[in-house]
Amino acid sequence: MEVRILNHIDRDCVDYAIRIESLGQSVEVNTDTTYYMKKRDDYRYTGINDNFFGIMRDFKWTSDRLIIMHDDLEFKDDTFDSIEHILKFAPDSPISFYAPTNNMFKDAYETNHVLKLFNGVWCQCVAYPKRYVDGILRWIDSNVVQYGKYAEDVFVEQYNCFMNEPFYAVMPSLVQHDGYDRSLHGNPSVCGQNKRNSFCYEDFDVKKIDWSKEFKKPKQVNNRYHKAEGLRENHDRA
């Protein structure tokens, strides 16, 4: 697996990348070249989308998984070893290692360590397989007509819902959204009544969980409704 950091142009993440490398994980920093607007106009997310999908387009696939992670996360010394272990049991779909604070994730965590979902996706730290990356890039090129008004997770959710592509999220969370209250996008620190961080970022022994069983029988949320923001009128569907 290889790590690419989705870096905001105004956030210095040199030390962040150095720490990842010190843990034995190869990493590259990808910084947007278009300033992220703070006002809600049609160009607000141009930088993050150019950067996010640019990472996917430029990746050379010298490994079987591309991990894209945000530049404002907290992680533990064993996080990348734990990710590598979990991926041995994972299906050929995106695997998220961030569990946000909301009722859907809280309910799932009462009985499961893996949540299978289509929308409600958070892209803070996700491992993408080549099959999925190739598919979403083709879909983006064919269907997206308004690129800057909506963030990357909106297009990921649209692709998942309209093309029947599941996402899997692991719990406990392996990373914490450390910068949730210091958004450079001008986002609030809460989403509804919940903080924009993880409720279950905690110490645990990754090898004591039967991940093969968890991925075979995940908690599943079948809600696939998503508005067609930014898409051409007759966009592709499965």
Side-chain angles (χ1 to χ4, degrees), residues 112-142:
N112 294 75
H113 289 289
V114 174
L115 174 62
K116 181 180 179 181
L117 66 163
F118 295 84
N119 62 12
V121 169
W122 292 57
C123 295
Q124 267 71 12
C125 182
V126 180
Y128 299 92
K130 187 176 188 300
R131 177 197 65 80
Y132 182 91
V133 169
D134 290 346
I136 194 171
L137 290 178
R138 286 194 300 268
W139 190 85
I140 289 289
D141 290 342
S142 297

Side-chain angles (χ1 to χ4, degrees), residues 32-45:
D32 68 286
T33 57
T34 305
Y35 189 77
Y36 295 178
M37 303 290 184
K38 288 188 177 181
K39 57 185 179 179
R40 294 191 176 276
D41 60 16
D42 289 349
Y43 306 98
R44 182 177 186 228
Y45 291 109

Side-chain angles (χ1 to χ4, degrees), residues 102-222:
N102 60 44
N103 289 337
M104 180 171 66
F105 276 81
K106 286 180 177 180
D107 290 347
Y109 192 38
E110 291 182 1
T111 56
N112 294 75
H113 289 289
V114 174
L115 174 62
K116 181 180 179 181
L117 66 163
F118 295 84
N119 62 12
V121 169
W122 292 57
C123 295
Q124 267 71 12
C125 182
V126 180
Y128 299 92
K130 187 176 188 300
R131 177 197 65 80
Y132 182 91
V133 169
D134 290 346
I136 194 171
L137 290 178
R138 286 194 300 268
W139 190 85
I140 289 289
D141 290 342
S142 297
N143 294 282
V144 174
V145 294
Q146 174 52 274
Y147 198 59
K149 193 174 181 179
Y150 311 101
E152 87 282 15
D153 54 353
V154 170
F155 297 117
V156 168
E157 287 182 344
Q158 288 174 338
Y159 177 66
N160 295 344
C161 292
F162 295 135
M163 300 306 292
N164 195 30
E165 283 282 357
F167 238 63
Y168 293 81
V170 167
M171 296 169 288
S173 187
L174 273 71
V175 297
Q176 179 61 284
H177 189 194
D178 183 56
Y180 78 97
D181 57 351
R182 303 184 301 279
S183 173
L184 294 176
H185 305 286
N187 291 326
S189 61
V190 295
C191 184
Q193 296 181 339
N194 298 314
K195 292 182 179 179
R196 289 180 180 269
N197 62 2
S198 177
F199 71 100
C200 62
Y201 178 63
E202 55 196 51
D203 292 323
F204 73 105
D205 187 344
V206 70
K207 293 185 178 180
K208 288 187 176 180
I209 296 173
D210 186 345
W211 293 105
S212 178
K213 177 183 176 181
E214 291 290 337
F215 280 111
K216 287 178 181 176
K217 295 184 177 181
K219 175 72 173 183
Q220 184 162 335
V221 177
N222 288 314

Side-chain angles (χ1 to χ4, degrees), residues 67-122:
I67 297 177
I68 301 180
M69 60 186 296
H70 287 199
D71 60 1
D72 59 349
L73 303 179
E74 176 186 335
F75 48 89
K76 304 179 189 298
D77 288 348
D78 63 353
T79 289
F80 296 101
D81 289 339
S82 296
I83 289 175
E84 193 166 32
H85 176 77
I86 292 170
L87 287 176
K88 294 176 183 177
F89 307 95
D92 192 30
S93 295
I95 311 297
S96 171
F97 298 98
Y98 175 72
T101 302
N102 60 44
N103 289 337
M104 180 171 66
F105 276 81
K106 286 180 177 180
D107 290 347
Y109 192 38
E110 291 182 1
T111 56
N112 294 75
H113 289 289
V114 174
L115 174 62
K116 181 180 179 181
L117 66 163
F118 295 84
N119 62 12
V121 169
W122 292 57

Side-chain angles (χ1 to χ4, degrees), residues 51-74:
N51 198 5
F52 180 81
F53 293 112
I55 290 172
M56 288 184 168
R57 293 183 196 281
D58 294 341
F59 191 61
K60 303 304 181 185
W61 293 104
T62 54
S63 64
D64 60 348
R65 295 273 181 168
L66 164 63
I67 297 177
I68 301 180
M69 60 186 296
H70 287 199
D71 60 1
D72 59 349
L73 303 179
E74 176 186 335

